[in-house]
Amino acid sequence: MVQEAKHLIERVQQEQITVLAKKEIINGFLAYGISIEEVAQLLDLTIEQVRLASDQKSSTST
């Protein structure tokens, strides 16, 4: 049971790192002048997901 809990915690942490990395990549692409639509296509995301990631970055930096 404890091993399963540790494994679950590690998996959640890895997923959080992946989400943070994607946000950084998204914002880097957008800063480079790539359109939201192109970023979504490149990363196999929806346009809404790209918008949400870019909105979260701008709201946390102000």
Side-chain angles (χ1 to χ4, degrees):
M1 184 71 161
V2 173
Q3 280 297 82
E4 291 175 14
K6 286 181 181 180
H7 180 67
L8 181 60
I9 290 169
E10 288 174 5
R11 193 169 133 213
V12 168
Q13 289 172 335
Q14 288 172 346
E15 288 176 13
Q16 288 174 335
I17 290 169
T18 301
V19 168
L20 291 173
K22 279 191 177 184
K23 286 180 186 179
E24 290 301 316
I25 291 168
I26 287 168
N27 287 299
F29 281 165
L30 294 174
Y32 218 86
I34 298 174
S35 73
I36 289 176
E37 291 81 7
E38 290 170 319
V39 172
Q41 186 176 14
L42 287 167
L43 298 177
D44 195 28
L45 299 170
T46 66
I47 292 170
E48 184 63 23
Q49 288 172 315
V50 174
R51 283 194 178 120
L52 286 171
S54 64
D55 288 346
Q56 289 173 357
K57 174 72 176 184
S58 62
S59 68
T60 59
S61 63
T62 55

